Amino acid sequence: MEKANELKLKPLGIDTHHEHTIYMRDDCPVCISEGFNALTRLRVSYGSKTIIASLNVLVNDFLLASDEISLSENAIKVLGVKKGDLLTLSHIEPIDSMSAVRAKIYGQKLLANHFQEIVEDIVAGNYANVELAAFITACAGNNMTVNEIIYLSKAMITTGQKLNWPQKQVFDKHCVGGLPGNRTTPIVVAIVAAYGLTIPKTSSRAITSPAGTADTMESITIVNLSLSKIKEVVGQENGCIAWGGSVQLSPADDKLIRVEKALDIDSDGQLIASILSKKIAAGSTHVVIDIPVGSTAKVRTKQAAEELKRRMSLVADGLGLKIKVVITDGSQPVGRGIGPALEARDLLAVLKDAPHAPSDLKERSLHLAGELLELSEEVNAGSGYFKAREILESGAAYKKFVGICLAQGGFSEPSIGSFKQEIKADKSGIVTKIDNRRLAKIAKLAGAPENKGAGIDFFAPIGTDVKVGQILYAIHAESTGALEYALGYLDSQENILTIK
Amino acid sequence: MEKANELKLKPLGIDTHHEHTIYMRDDCPVCISEGFNALTRLRVSYGSKTIIASLNVLVNDFLLASDEISLSENAIKVLGVKKGDLLTLSHIEPIDSMSAVRAKIYGQKLLANHFQEIVEDIVAGNYANVELAAFITACAGNNMTVNEIIYLSKAMITTGQKLNWPQKQVFDKHCVGGLPGNRTTPIVVAIVAAYGLTIPKTSSRAITSPAGTADTMESITIVNLSLSKIKEVVGQENGCIAWGGSVQLSPADDKLIRVEKALDIDSDGQLIASILSKKIAAGSTHVVIDIPVGSTAKVRTKQAAEELKRRMSLVADGLGLKIKVVITDGSQPVGRGIGPALEARDLLAVLKDAPHAPSDLKERSLHLAGELLELSEEVNAGSGYFKAREILESGAAYKKFVGICLAQGGFSEPSIGSFKQEIKADKSGIVTKIDNRRLAKIAKLAGAPENKGAGIDFFAPIGTDVKVGQILYAIHAESTGALEYALGYLDSQENILTIK
């Protein structure tokens, strides 16, 4: 006989992302018993598998029969259930690790075991978004000690997968905060791997930006590689440029970062833990970290960048990771393209050392590659940049890049969206300031990164002397609908470029 | 012609409570453009009305056609739309007042205008639950100054409705934190109104407890009164005991409080602002505040209660409200019943001064009523309790209570749920401790407060000498399903009562 708290699953195809959600009719006994307080959470079990889900209530009876419930897509996947399976619902006890979060709110310092318990609960999906928000807020500002950041990093590492490499030295690079078009990674990997260092680069897809390195690379090659495929490519070519999603290096961070971005709360501690934990989990030993500084970049002042560098270096020491932090100019987009295919076009131009290649993208890439070469101690301090340039200009880097792409599964030129609108200057003058955030927003509304060919082609860097009617940038899209949506936003905006 | 960002509404009957949610197909242009990051927010407009809603995505096509979207129930209500109406979607800019929240996170003190802007955005529904959680966390602990609490209270008052009374002195009482069965309010109102003071009591329904005063009263009379009906009842009887929901005294607080309870974060500042803002908005001038202290009550130590009293008194001074804070014993349930009808039975027994009436409920009520009488300065200090007892024992309070009920719309004896399970002692000894929180949980799982007759009848207060097999309490429900669900929880629990 069915129990009062057993109901049949009927999938409705509702994707709520990582917060599991359960849909129940308002007349079902469990629903009545639990009450419905917007944030009611229930345990849902199937066999030995169990998840915690937030309750949404159906006030009509046409979606579910009285003996049915539904779950969000990800909950269905995690439980491994299908239509008709009988799920058991039960009440949940308060989550123990939330008392550590409360202690943190009250200003106490947390210990290693506290962070371990919190991060384990986050990975298990036991925290609702509001609880993630409370943890993030409690740790925000400069509210974490160096030791706390080390504990958080270690907890993130132990709760995820870890990669191992036969090489003693494994290199990586990371850029803090999005600068549109700043696609140095593929170029740096190609140079460094061509030199002979091991650089198994796994990159993320965009979360709130118009393109992540993985999105950009996907317009050229295959990035969705299994761990064994990654090892094969690196064994053959010294490096790879793959999507990190097939390996779960820090599943806790993946959940935290989405809430952090939604809140737009800066948290040095969580930023440092996020970056360094993923590097260590990926098996890296030597990492160059790029912090672009600019009024519309993630880090806005030189002083904030220096403080971030200082704390990041202390945490890296505590974790036994060798890092070099470089602070760079983040006042404007890098290269000309913003969006996967447009950025891919730029990086290929640099790798081919084409005369029209964006020189800023080339210089930044050489600078970072040089730092990595020096970090290996195989190249003397001060000569890394020149070594990197030699490798690039000789064609060795391009050859290596194509080799990596072919090893990953193929190489093709990127294809740019054919629906296009040019945006022209409404007055003459010098471009003095660029709002990176709003430019990125336009590229996204035009469809980037989901539509690989969508984005912005940008022609007016700071200092450009423009005339009325001159093209400042072009918006590309893969459909008229997306182009229209981006233009609708643009209509409501002023001074994305300041011309004086 | 329809625009890319115009879609037809199809209601699906999904209730997500106060966080507006929008459901879109994953293949719709807006959905692709915005990207789906779990916490994507969109503006939804219909005519001049506009709301902000969180995006959920439908991966199947059987719920919505390609030109349709759906909204959560409350969003439909707020926009005033129906099936087939054409809604416009647009991108939202970051919410300005969140920068004040971020400043607070960084340890800055906020000013009156900051709280005003934050509270206005909360009332407008511009904050998602994660943003409410960040604000609550930033203000939690003892992280607010007395001035900040005053600013928050004032912002809550100005963004809600305000009641006005012709009387110069208007009385009220409030109990901080749930103590199961502690239903003194109707008794206190009856005594005070019988004496002749004005006490227009509006009470809340339960949020996370098994019964609010409004739920309890609803098992006896009608509590869902319009503002004009409330005024009529008070004009006639000096007092009322109505549900506060028909008047929006502090709509911001209603949203904050649900997230606070979900997080179980104590925030003195928000608690004080919540209580005092509602009293002032209700037009009260003289208020007695009861803080029960116990290990499973909201306030757990005498010291915490004293500190809360101190800060609350300072804020009340700043707001020009006359209050008296009394700290009482919160170690166990009050009366015998937990749940609307069971609590109603107890309070009627006290009002009738029946020999079997719970003496603890009677004494607490007399004590609080006495404090209110003294606060009026019409009764001398030290004699309020005796005056209150005189009014109760003379039958004047019961007569007044019935008068109020009749004026509100009727009077009937409460009806207790007929599905019942008695819980017996598994050993002999003295009851030394009671877990109020878990007792409340059982009452809720049995169906309280939605099912008025559900709850717990409690027979073993602290100090009771029990024998094996003696009935400790009985669980009442209105259906076998609910009774079973409560018993399922009980099976997993130990030591709700400690017997030594």
Side-chain angles (χ1 to χ4, degrees):
Chain A
M1 198 192 97
E2 285 172 24
K3 292 195 212 143
N5 52 346
E6 273 187 351
L7 291 164
K8 252 187 275 179
L9 176 66
K10 178 184 174 191
L12 292 171
I14 305 178
D15 183 355
T16 61
H17 223 286
H18 67 261
E19 180 161 303
H20 298 320
T21 305
I22 180 164
Y23 301 87
M24 290 168 70
R25 275 170 56 146
D26 57 355
D27 56 1
C28 112
V30 174
C31 202
I32 291 167
S33 298
E34 291 288 345
F36 178 45
N37 304 307
L39 297 155
T40 302
R41 304 265 285 167
L42 288 170
R43 186 176 300 282
V44 185
S45 308
Y46 182 74
S48 61
K49 286 190 183 165
T50 176
I51 57 164
I52 296 178
S54 299
L55 175 62
N56 279 1
V57 167
L58 295 172
V59 297
N60 295 342
D61 54 9
F62 66 89
L63 290 185
L64 296 179
S66 64
D67 62 342
E68 288 178 332
I69 57 166
S70 192
L71 290 172
S72 54
E73 288 296 286
N74 199 36
I76 289 173
K77 197 173 138 195
V78 169
L79 278 179
V81 285
K82 60 181 190 310
K83 188 170 164 44
D85 284 343
L86 218 51
L87 306 179
T88 308
L89 303 176
S90 54
H91 163 76
I92 61 162
E93 291 294 291
I95 296 162
D96 283 344
S97 66
M98 271 299 290
S99 33
V101 175
R102 281 186 279 271
K104 184 76 193 150
I105 292 170
Y106 273 82
Q108 291 173 41
K109 302 286 166 235
L110 300 188
L111 302 175
N113 64 310
H114 297 132
F115 282 103
Q116 188 65 32
E117 288 161 17
I118 290 168
V119 170
E120 282 174 7
D121 273 325
I122 291 172
V123 172
N126 294 342
Y127 276 39
N129 283 334
V130 289
E131 285 158 337
L132 294 175
F135 175 60
I136 287 163
T137 303
C139 293
N142 288 318
N143 211 5
M144 292 178 86
T145 65
V146 166
N147 276 336
E148 286 183 313
I149 303 172
I150 292 172
Y151 300 147
L152 176 58
S153 305
K154 286 184 173 170
M156 283 178 169
I157 295 165
T158 58
T159 51
Q161 278 185 282
K162 197 169 177 322
L163 308 191
N164 294 298
W165 303 97
Q167 292 81 358
K168 213 171 160 197
Q169 293 193 338
V170 176
F171 293 79
D172 205 346
K173 73 161 283 282
H174 188 88
C175 177
V176 174
L179 205 53
N182 193 17
R183 209 51 61 208
T184 56
T185 296
I187 305 169
V188 171
V189 169
I191 295 171
V192 169
Y195 177 83
L197 303 183
T198 302
I199 184 158
K201 182 77 196 139
T202 56
S203 296
S204 53
R205 294 187 190 277
I207 297 178
T208 59
S209 71
T213 295
D215 301 306
T216 299
M217 286 301 296
E218 205 166 37
S219 67
I220 304 175
T221 186
I222 290 164
V223 295
N224 192 356
L225 307 183
S226 68
L227 185 51
S228 63
K229 183 70 181 172
I230 287 175
K231 296 211 164 190
E232 185 192 315
V233 174
V234 174
Q236 193 179 315
E237 299 286 345
N238 301 333
C240 69
I241 314 154
W243 176 48
S246 54
V247 278
Q248 287 229 297
L249 296 179
S250 182
D253 189 52
D254 295 344
K255 294 186 179 179
L256 284 169
I257 216 163
R258 287 188 157 77
V259 178
E260 267 172 56
K261 297 217 173 195
L263 292 173
D264 194 17
I265 288 179
D266 284 324
S267 169
D268 264 24
Q270 283 178 333
L271 178 69
I272 294 169
S274 165
I275 295 169
L276 300 187
S277 68
K278 282 193 171 163
K279 298 301 158 200
I280 291 173
S284 304
T285 57
H286 294 65
V287 182
V288 168
I289 295 181
D290 175 15
I291 308 180
V293 178
S295 63
T296 55
K298 183 170 180 72
V299 179
R300 302 186 190 197
T301 66
K302 187 83 193 327
Q303 195 191 349
E306 290 291 354
E307 175 61 12
L308 180 58
K309 175 178 177 170
R310 189 185 69 80
R311 280 159 60 86
M312 195 180 277
S313 302
L314 288 171
V315 173
D317 275 356
L319 294 168
L321 183 71
K322 194 165 175 188
I323 67 169
K324 170 81 184 277
V325 180
V326 294
I327 296 173
T328 60
D329 173 30
S331 59
Q332 60 180 329
V334 179
R336 278 194 293 272
I338 302 170
L342 287 151
E343 294 178 22
R345 177 203 62 190
D346 286 353
L347 74 89
L348 285 171
V350 171
L351 281 165
K352 289 172 185 169
D353 205 26
H356 62 275
S359 59
D360 56 346
L361 181 61
K362 175 177 172 179
E363 288 306 314
R364 292 178 84 96
S365 303
L366 292 178
H367 180 55
L368 294 170
E371 293 286 359
L372 271 169
L373 295 177
E374 291 179 17
L375 203 61
S376 75
E377 293 179 14
E378 291 183 20
V379 173
N380 290 338
S383 62
Y385 169 85
F386 301 99
K387 186 73 205 163
R389 195 164 76 181
E390 187 190 315
I391 296 168
L392 182 80
E393 293 181 353
S394 72
Y398 180 64
K399 200 177 150 198
K400 174 56 76 180
F401 181 79
V402 173
I404 289 172
C405 289
L406 292 174
Q408 291 192 183
F411 175 88
S412 63
E413 292 286 335
S415 157
I416 291 160
S418 53
F419 295 90
K420 178 169 129 182
Q421 173 77 47
E422 291 170 340
I423 309 302
K424 295 173 182 172
D426 55 5
K427 64 174 175 179
S428 301
I430 307 285
V431 176
T432 58
K433 206 176 163 193
I434 295 165
D435 189 326
N436 291 322
R437 291 173 189 231
R438 286 187 288 162
L439 268 186
K441 188 83 218 169
I442 295 167
K444 283 182 61 186
L445 297 180
E450 279 75 7
N451 298 339
K452 294 274 171 287
I456 287 177
D457 212 2
F458 188 77
F459 308 116
I462 288 173
T464 309
D465 188 352
V466 298
K467 299 267 170 297
V468 178
Q470 186 174 330
I471 300 169
L472 299 172
Y473 55 95
I475 305 173
H476 288 265
E478 295 186 352
S479 71
T480 48
L483 187 58
E484 233 177 59
Y485 195 62
L487 290 171
Y489 170 73
L490 185 62
D491 275 351
S492 69
Q493 300 297 311
E494 286 178 11
N495 297 328
I496 291 176
L497 272 68
T498 307
I499 298 172
K500 275 186 181 164
Chain B
M1 199 191 97
E2 284 171 23
K3 292 196 212 142
N5 52 346
E6 274 188 350
L7 292 163
K8 252 186 277 179
L9 175 66
K10 178 184 174 191
L12 292 170
I14 305 177
D15 183 356
T16 61
H17 223 286
H18 67 263
E19 181 162 301
H20 298 319
T21 305
I22 179 164
Y23 302 88
M24 288 169 70
R25 275 169 57 146
D26 57 355
D27 56 0
C28 111
V30 174
C31 202
I32 291 167
S33 298
E34 290 287 345
F36 178 45
N37 305 306
L39 298 155
T40 302
R41 304 264 286 166
L42 288 170
R43 184 176 302 281
V44 186
S45 308
Y46 183 74
S48 61
K49 286 190 183 167
T50 176
I51 58 165
I52 296 178
S54 299
L55 176 62
N56 280 0
V57 167
L58 295 172
V59 298
N60 295 342
D61 55 9
F62 65 89
L63 290 185
L64 296 179
S66 63
D67 62 343
E68 288 179 330
I69 57 166
S70 192
L71 290 172
S72 54
E73 288 296 288
N74 199 35
I76 290 173
K77 197 172 136 197
V78 169
L79 278 179
V81 286
K82 59 180 191 310
K83 188 168 165 44
D85 283 343
L86 218 52
L87 305 180
T88 307
L89 303 175
S90 54
H91 162 75
I92 61 162
E93 290 294 290
I95 296 162
D96 284 344
S97 66
M98 273 297 291
S99 34
V101 174
R102 282 186 279 273
K104 183 77 193 149
I105 292 170
Y106 274 83
Q108 291 172 41
K109 303 286 166 235
L110 300 188
L111 302 176
N113 64 309
H114 297 132
F115 282 103
Q116 187 66 31
E117 287 160 17
I118 291 168
V119 170
E120 283 174 6
D121 273 326
I122 292 173
V123 172
N126 294 343
Y127 276 38
N129 284 333
V130 289
E131 285 158 337
L132 293 175
F135 175 60
I136 288 163
T137 303
C139 293
N142 288 319
N143 212 4
M144 291 178 87
T145 64
V146 166
N147 276 336
E148 285 182 313
I149 304 172
I150 292 172
Y151 300 147
L152 176 59
S153 304
K154 286 184 174 170
M156 284 177 168
I157 296 166
T158 58
T159 51
Q161 280 186 280
K162 197 167 178 322
L163 307 192
N164 293 298
W165 302 98
Q167 292 80 0
K168 210 168 161 196
Q169 292 194 340
V170 176
F171 293 80
D172 205 346
K173 73 161 282 282
H174 188 88
C175 177
V176 174
L179 205 53
N182 192 17
R183 208 52 59 207
T184 56
T185 295
I187 304 168
V188 170
V189 170
I191 294 170
V192 169
Y195 177 81
L197 303 183
T198 302
I199 184 159
K201 182 79 195 136
T202 55
S203 296
S204 53
R205 295 188 190 278
I207 296 178
T208 59
S209 72
T213 294
D215 302 305
T216 300
M217 285 301 295
E218 204 166 39
S219 67
I220 304 174
T221 185
I222 290 164
V223 295
N224 193 355
L225 307 184
S226 67
L227 183 51
S228 62
K229 183 73 180 174
I230 287 175
K231 296 211 163 188
E232 184 192 314
V233 174
V234 175
Q236 193 178 318
E237 299 287 344
N238 301 332
C240 69
I241 315 154
W243 174 48
S246 54
V247 275
Q248 288 228 299
L249 296 179
S250 182
D253 188 52
D254 295 343
K255 294 185 180 179
L256 284 168
I257 217 162
R258 289 188 156 78
V259 178
E260 267 172 56
K261 298 218 171 193
L263 292 173
D264 195 17
I265 288 179
D266 284 325
S267 169
D268 263 24
Q270 284 177 333
L271 179 69
I272 295 169
S274 165
I275 295 169
L276 299 188
S277 68
K278 282 192 172 163
K279 296 305 160 198
I280 291 172
S284 303
T285 57
H286 293 67
V287 182
V288 168
I289 295 182
D290 174 15
I291 307 180
V293 178
S295 62
T296 54
K298 181 168 183 73
V299 178
R300 301 186 190 198
T301 66
K302 186 83 192 329
Q303 197 191 346
E306 291 290 355
E307 175 60 12
L308 181 58
K309 175 178 175 171
R310 189 185 68 80
R311 281 159 60 85
M312 196 180 280
S313 301
L314 288 171
V315 174
D317 275 355
L319 294 168
L321 184 71
K322 194 166 177 187
I323 67 169
K324 170 81 184 275
V325 181
V326 294
I327 296 173
T328 60
D329 174 29
S331 59
Q332 60 180 330
V334 179
R336 277 194 294 273
I338 302 171
L342 287 151
E343 294 178 21
R345 176 203 63 191
D346 286 354
L347 75 87
L348 285 172
V350 171
L351 281 166
K352 290 172 185 167
D353 204 26
H356 62 275
S359 60
D360 55 347
L361 181 62
K362 175 176 171 180
E363 289 305 314
R364 292 178 83 97
S365 303
L366 293 178
H367 181 55
L368 293 170
E371 293 286 358
L372 272 170
L373 295 177
E374 291 179 16
L375 203 60
S376 75
E377 293 180 13
E378 292 183 20
V379 172
N380 290 338
S383 64
Y385 169 85
F386 301 99
K387 185 74 206 165
R389 194 164 78 183
E390 188 189 313
I391 295 168
L392 182 80
E393 294 181 353
S394 72
Y398 180 66
K399 199 178 150 200
K400 175 56 75 179
F401 181 79
V402 174
I404 290 172
C405 289
L406 292 175
Q408 292 192 183
F411 174 88
S412 63
E413 292 285 334
S415 157
I416 292 161
S418 53
F419 296 89
K420 176 169 132 181
Q421 174 77 49
E422 291 171 339
I423 309 301
K424 295 173 181 172
D426 55 4
K427 64 175 178 179
S428 300
I430 307 286
V431 176
T432 58
K433 207 176 162 191
I434 296 165
D435 189 326
N436 291 323
R437 290 171 190 233
R438 286 187 289 162
L439 268 187
K441 188 84 217 167
I442 295 167
K444 282 181 61 186
L445 297 179
E450 279 76 6
N451 298 338
K452 294 274 170 288
I456 287 178
D457 211 2
F458 189 77
F459 308 115
I462 289 173
T464 309
D465 188 354
V466 297
K467 299 266 171 296
V468 177
Q470 186 175 330
I471 300 168
L472 299 172
Y473 54 96
I475 305 174
H476 288 265
E478 295 188 351
S479 71
T480 49
L483 188 59
E484 234 178 56
Y485 195 62
L487 290 171
Y489 170 74
L490 186 61
D491 275 353
S492 69
Q493 300 297 313
E494 285 178 11
N495 298 328
I496 290 176
L497 272 69
T498 308
I499 297 172
K500 277 188 179 159

